[in-house]
Amino acid sequence: MFPNRISSLLLLAMMASSYSSTQVHDKKGTQEGRLRGADMNQARRLEECFDCDAQNPCANAAETGDYYYPHCELGYFVQCGANGGCFKQGCPDGLVWNDSAGTCDVPCFICSSNSPCTDANIGAGKYYHSHCSPTNFIQCDDSKGCHEMACPAGLVWKTDIDTCGTP
């Protein structure tokens, strides 16, 4: 159903040689560029979340060096101040907190549990999405079918260009 798109994906994957990084603060409070991976385990994130009220993780932030934690509300994270202050921070639009990477990241999908192949995405022409494995991607069809596809060997899914490319 998407022969031209797949050919374009493979061609772009062979030509891609760089990947943009996002300036973020890592969990230790330093600023550095990080590659956005699509390996977030959303179930783990929801089990280990904080909200600054009943579950404030910031009391010992200066001692532990951990200044960033997942918030219980998707699309947000907790930032700790050096004095133990707890602050709810939002990720940029379309991103969610990835605790294992210590940054806001693109959400990941698995067809069997959280298919991105919705009427809204298909209506907007969004047929390709990040899989939770960085070497795979999701391809939707017009009937809301969800297909987990593999990138060619040695390549990873690049959300910013909707194709497989070099890591």
Side-chain angles (χ1 to χ4, degrees):
M1 177 171 274
F2 303 98
N4 292 337
R5 178 68 172 172
I6 297 297
S7 297
S8 296
L9 285 172
L10 292 174
L11 179 61
L12 285 171
M14 291 184 285
M15 295 172 29
S17 62
S18 64
Y19 185 53
S20 64
S21 63
T22 305
Q23 282 291 336
V24 297
H25 287 87
D26 69 8
K27 292 178 79 170
K28 298 294 183 187
T30 60
Q31 192 174 45
E32 64 180 48
R34 289 189 180 269
L35 294 179
R36 296 183 306 180
D39 62 352
M40 182 177 89
N41 180 338
Q42 291 187 17
R44 188 180 84 72
R45 192 202 80 75
L46 292 174
E47 290 173 11
E48 300 174 357
C49 64
F50 304 90
D51 66 9
C52 291
D53 294 325
Q55 301 161 308
N56 182 346
C58 298
N60 298 319
E63 294 171 22
T64 65
D66 290 331
Y67 289 92
Y68 296 88
Y69 295 88
H71 192 274
C72 293
E73 189 175 343
L74 197 61
Y76 292 88
F77 61 96
V78 170
Q79 179 180 3
C80 299
N83 63 354
C86 186
F87 307 95
K88 177 183 173 183
Q89 302 290 338
C91 291
D93 286 344
L95 301 182
V96 296
W97 181 253
N98 180 337
D99 196 46
S100 63
T103 185
C104 292
D105 202 349
V106 294
C108 68
F109 300 97
I110 296 176
C111 289
S112 62
S113 62
N114 63 335
S115 172
C117 302
T118 62
D119 288 328
N121 279 336
I122 292 168
K126 296 179 181 176
Y127 290 92
Y128 299 92
H129 305 274
S130 295
H131 189 278
C132 292
S133 168
T135 59
N136 294 337
F137 63 95
I138 300 290
Q139 177 181 334
C140 301
D141 63 37
D142 286 328
S143 301
K144 297 196 298 185
C146 185
H147 309 279
E148 296 180 11
M149 310 295 286
C151 290
L155 301 180
V156 297
W157 182 249
K158 304 283 193 149
T159 301
D160 58 338
I161 56 175
D162 280 348
T163 190
C164 297
T166 55

